[in-house]
Amino acid sequence: MEPRNITGVSQFLLMGFSEETELQPLIFGLFLSMYLITVFGNLLIILAVSSDPHLHTPMYFFLSNLSFVDICFTSTTIPKMLVNIQTENKVITYEGCIIQMHFFTLFIGLDIFLLTVMAYDRFVAICRPLHYMVIMNPHLCGVLVLVSWIMSALHSLLESLMVLRLSFCTDLHIPHFFCELNQMIQLACSDVYLNKVVIYTVAVLLGGAPFAGILYTYSKIVSSIHRISSAQGKYKAFSTCASHLYMVSLFYCTGIGVYLSSAASHSSHSSATASVMYTVVTPMLNPFIYSLRNNELKRSLKILFGKKTIKEPIFLGLKKCPQQ
């Protein structure tokens, strides 16, 4: 069969998790609940940070950006899936598929970069506490976020342009709940060698390098904490980066687990189910991880809901560490 580009045909079919009709209401309710929790939970963090002047520090500035990205991340995929289930229509247009893939790639790249930037922020807080506010000044924080956006935008643009050059045959079924890059490439009839080279190269540069940077910063943090003499001092120092460490572990472990399991099982539906962990569950857990372990953020949320008034100064972003 001669391959043909489907731009004229202009549609794909998102097969989702299951084709059994009786399971669709359960899937719809489950993902709607997770989506609403994700949106409202991360929105509360943004509102708490923006409304409390005591939270206008580098750590919470990066956290509010991460919450915004997580809202956009889940909004790229879940609403379309919910609409398809509700209307019993699996169709997504060619243009819509490319746009969804583009923004999904953009926001997952931003997640990676912001987690890396937050690791650097914790590194400075623990290892250079006396120079923290000088190093992590507002200008540098803004530049770090801007660079993260630019790098992610260039990456997603590159991947989108690489997909646009592909030709597709008559099999337009995507065994996933969104237009995932690897699934799109597998449907192509034309040569995808260059696409795979780009994917693997970018994975090493934009995935492996930030992860290596996070590991390096935490090796320095652990070394610095180890030199603190008192147990209370070690606990205070560790508590400043514990939430971020949990988020990094959850994000990378689930992401790596998804691709390893999909490579081992060769099942597209298994890959779709496993990918829920880092595309839906991780953004949903972000507000809980940061708010449950963060007394300052919990206090700010209480103030936001009018349950508590500020009676004492709160010094945030950097917990005081004992002199080493």
Side-chain angles (χ1 to χ4, degrees), residues 113-219:
F113 285 123
L114 287 176
L115 287 174
T116 307
V117 168
M118 292 172 75
Y120 176 71
D121 172 70
R122 294 300 84 202
F123 163 76
V124 177
I126 300 297
C127 301
R128 302 288 187 271
L130 299 180
H131 302 91
Y132 177 76
M133 296 310 298
V134 176
I135 297 175
M136 300 304 298
N137 57 76
H139 176 73
L140 177 62
C141 293
V143 169
L144 290 174
V145 172
L146 179 61
V147 170
S148 298
W149 274 93
I150 293 174
M151 294 293 292
S152 300
L154 292 176
H155 168 224
S156 59
L157 179 61
L158 173 63
E159 297 289 8
S160 300
L161 292 176
M162 292 299 296
V163 172
L164 286 173
R165 59 179 285 275
L166 297 177
S167 297
F168 297 85
C169 297
T170 55
D171 184 10
L172 307 177
H173 296 74
I174 301 177
H176 219 296
F177 66 96
F178 66 95
C179 294
E180 202 262 342
L181 178 60
N182 288 328
Q183 298 294 335
M184 295 279 290
I185 292 177
Q186 290 178 13
L187 292 180
C189 290
S190 55
D191 183 26
V192 296
Y193 174 77
L194 187 58
N195 293 74
K196 291 184 177 181
V197 169
V198 171
I199 289 176
Y200 294 140
T201 302
V202 168
V204 173
L205 295 178
L206 301 186
F211 184 59
I214 291 174
L215 292 178
Y216 175 78
T217 57
Y218 271 101
S219 68

Side-chain angles (χ1 to χ4, degrees), residues 83-96:
V83 170
N84 285 2
I85 293 176
Q86 188 67 22
T87 61
E88 299 182 356
N89 185 357
K90 301 178 183 296
V91 172
I92 182 171
T93 64
Y94 175 81
E95 294 81 4

Side-chain angles (χ1 to χ4, degrees), residues 63-107:
L63 176 58
S64 60
N65 275 273
L66 181 65
S67 295
F68 172 75
V69 169
D70 281 343
I71 292 174
C72 297
F73 187 30
T74 53
S75 298
T76 302
T77 57
I78 302 303
K80 176 57 180 176
M81 185 192 71
L82 296 177
V83 170
N84 285 2
I85 293 176
Q86 188 67 22
T87 61
E88 299 182 356
N89 185 357
K90 301 178 183 296
V91 172
I92 182 171
T93 64
Y94 175 81
E95 294 81 4
C97 198
I98 296 297
I99 292 172
Q100 187 182 67
M101 183 197 68
H102 173 82
F103 282 103
F104 178 83
T105 307
L106 169 68
F107 292 124

